[in-house]
Amino acid sequence: MKTVLITAFEPFDGETVNPSWEAVRQLDQRELMGATVVACLLPCEFGQSLVVLKQAINRLRPTLVMATGQAGGRSEVSVERIGINIDDARIADNRGRQPVDQPIVPEGPAAYFATLPIKAMVAAIREAGIPAVISQTAGTYVCNHVLYSLLHYLHHAMPEVRGGFIHIPYLPEQVVARQGQASMSSDNVIRALEAALITALSTEHDIRQTGGATH
Amino acid sequence: MKTVLITAFEPFDGETVNPSWEAVRQLDQRELMGATVVACLLPCEFGQSLVVLKQAINRLRPTLVMATGQAGGRSEVSVERIGINIDDARIADNRGRQPVDQPIVPEGPAAYFATLPIKAMVAAIREAGIPAVISQTAGTYVCNHVLYSLLHYLHHAMPEVRGGFIHIPYLPEQVVARQGQASMSSDNVIRALEAALITALSTEHDIRQTGGATH
Amino acid sequence: MKTVLITAFEPFDGETVNPSWEAVRQLDQRELMGATVVACLLPCEFGQSLVVLKQAINRLRPTLVMATGQAGGRSEVSVERIGINIDDARIADNRGRQPVDQPIVPEGPAAYFATLPIKAMVAAIREAGIPAVISQTAGTYVCNHVLYSLLHYLHHAMPEVRGGFIHIPYLPEQVVARQGQASMSSDNVIRALEAALITALSTEHDIRQTGGATH
Amino acid sequence: MKTVLITAFEPFDGETVNPSWEAVRQLDQRELMGATVVACLLPCEFGQSLVVLKQAINRLRPTLVMATGQAGGRSEVSVERIGINIDDARIADNRGRQPVDQPIVPEGPAAYFATLPIKAMVAAIREAGIPAVISQTAGTYVCNHVLYSLLHYLHHAMPEVRGGFIHIPYLPEQVVARQGQASMSSDNVIRALEAALITALSTEHDIRQTGGATH
């Protein structure tokens, strides 16, 4: 049976939960489109997150890899278009490291585009009634670190395996007393990730639909 | 048995649903703290909304009245502090009327404070894990029209009955393709309104907790 | 010669400048429409701000009083519609006091509407090329404290004198390194306040133009 | 004498001015750090903007190239970190073309990092009292189209010439009646661009200062 690897992060930045893991752990061992979903928790650390990711990939030999993380402040599930070759940490990671303008892979290209059908995934999540957008940046922190590294690794080691990243809003319970902070219920995040995974498994060529930004 | 009246609005501004009614209609006939909840749908119209509201109050003789409406763009359930004596419509109501700077009650006072325990209600909603805030303005549209009129009516006709207003974010399905628009699932809105109603029914004196804004 | 009193606040909330005073002090002794502008600095303190305000009013016997203050985070010059009878401080004032849900005037009405021609003032500021809006709330901090008290005082002591309040965005230099915080140059604030003062001095009956909010 | 090329765009998206050109045209023929600034207006068109850009580069043989454009809605001058190899137009360009997910250079790399000292430029703009940030995305419209193409061209044709892109907020006059839209005065934009140009001309190695985003 085919395997799909979906990763999420542990809490960071003083939070006690991470909405990505709260949703992803509910998907572990789910069967979708003839594939088994395997959930994997990554530490919010530059470097060590990649060790755990690559171990999971090599153990599971998945059909596709979808990484996820928290994007506190965003209103929608956002499907990332690109990972870029830079670490520039606004805050320290969970091990206290805060790289500034360091390339992730010194000789690597400046960026990789996600290889999942990102437009079809956004359309499917919206079809499920949940706000979704294409994002043109995954930032320069551990999320982007994992996205770039995942795409770099797959490109060289197993180019037939597709990969990408989905950013998830705060959970309602994370922002109960913070005015003006959008959130999304874990039930809706789970439904969004299911729709995204089903679409990624069943879509060979992405659809042609605008998802751009003027700036 | 005691009765609690909770009102909501029909859709407006081109929407096909109103998140207030999607939640409130689920609460109809619910029993809370020994009281029966009765849900009432108001037209989104200056004037006519008040006719329907007063008919419901006079028919039901409720213990308390909680009005609700949509606040598209807000991230949290917001409990209104005050209703003000002005209609100033940015868009036409559902009957095409668009008053500008007209007093709701020509000889009425400039404003009434809500008489529900608003701070305790916010605390209870947050306790349920749902984002909530005090709002210092209900706007100048039909929502404020109903809030001011409700408080004016109760003040004169049945001063022992408490009243107030809760604004509700967009539903996720209203903003699937609108970037940067916060939303809240109907399940969470229902839980928030239950918490607010239980608190309003069981709290005589409001708690002392800051809910202010610097501007 | 007629006198116009315009007030502004000292810095608060950890800031080293207050954009209201940076602009207002430039207007001191300016002659507009046959009136002399007198600028007055108020302490950012509940209570004491009113002592200074009333002394200035009684000393100057102005034709109109325009109070101003900082509204950090707002993008536009905002002309306040109403002051409400409540102090609810999210942060302590400059003397360390933080009232919660205390009426400003225990026996006073819930609110007063500003008596300046607010719609005409917004139109004039926009005509000068500067973003402006009507605001439906001045908050519940020292700004609102001054606005409500000013209108209460004028209503009883000198009802022929008109009063109101204008909120001002951050200065650019206050937010150089704070992402996503709007600001406005002091030159533009000064031009906005001049346009507002000229309009207030020359407009007897406000114009009819929508400036409402749906919530 | 050395030449610096600075480009800006004509208005688009229904606007009658473009804040980038309103500032940049004031810098034409300015002498800075022993170099002459030459301003060049680009059409807001995929393809044709590049024709004009490359003609200017080949005619002027500049020491560095700084492109600029409007970022409506942003609060700060934003210095772009990276241009990506994709056109995905949310709205049509000024000639009515709206490409979706087309590579700018079919065989080109996924992205290029700007080669200007972006962190030093942000620091210098802030030093001048004007809000500035690093931006991790220039979008997927004509601005990014020019940024990617500029960096691709310089990389191959004249690798010793440095290039980059600065996004500029709306002018105040563009948003006079649009609530919640940040803006920046043209005077401040001009001062920001001067500070950026001087810094780019005088800084060989960029400074090490965080300018990252968590997402």
Side-chain angles (χ1 to χ4, degrees), chain C residues 5-7 64-68 116 121 163-166 193 196-197 200:
Chain C
L5 173 61
I6 183 164
T7 72
L64 69 83
V65 184
M66 190 179 289
T68 70
L116 298 176
M121 289 157 61
F165 197 100
I166 293 185
L193 293 178
L197 285 169

Side-chain angles (χ1 to χ4, degrees), chain B residues 4 6 27 32 37 64 66 192-202:
Chain B
V4 168
I6 183 164
L27 292 171
L32 292 175
V37 177
L64 69 83
M66 190 179 289
L193 293 178
E194 282 175 338
L197 286 170
I198 288 170
T199 303
L201 283 163
S202 58

Side-chain angles (χ1 to χ4, degrees), chain C residues 76 126 129 131-132 173 176 179-180, chain D residues 76 126 129 131-132 173 176 179-180:
Chain C
E76 317 89 353
R126 290 177 176 177
E173 53 263 45
V176 288
Q179 188 159 6
Chain D
E76 318 88 355
R126 291 177 175 176
E173 51 264 45
V176 287
Q179 187 159 9

Side-chain angles (χ1 to χ4, degrees), chain A residues 75-76 125-134 171-185 187-188 212-213, chain B residues 75-76 125-134 171-185 187-188 212-213:
Chain A
S75 302
E76 319 88 353
I125 298 169
R126 291 176 175 178
E127 189 68 27
I130 299 162
V133 293
I134 297 293
L171 292 173
E173 51 264 44
Q174 292 181 276
V175 294
V176 288
R178 289 191 233 168
Q179 189 158 5
Q181 291 290 353
S183 61
M184 184 175 285
S185 72
D187 284 356
N188 278 349
Chain B
S75 303
E76 318 87 355
I125 298 169
R126 291 176 175 179
E127 188 67 30
I130 299 163
V133 293
I134 297 293
L171 291 172
E173 51 263 45
Q174 292 180 277
V175 294
V176 287
R178 290 192 232 167
Q179 188 159 7
Q181 291 289 352
S183 61
M184 185 175 284
S185 71
D187 284 356
N188 277 350

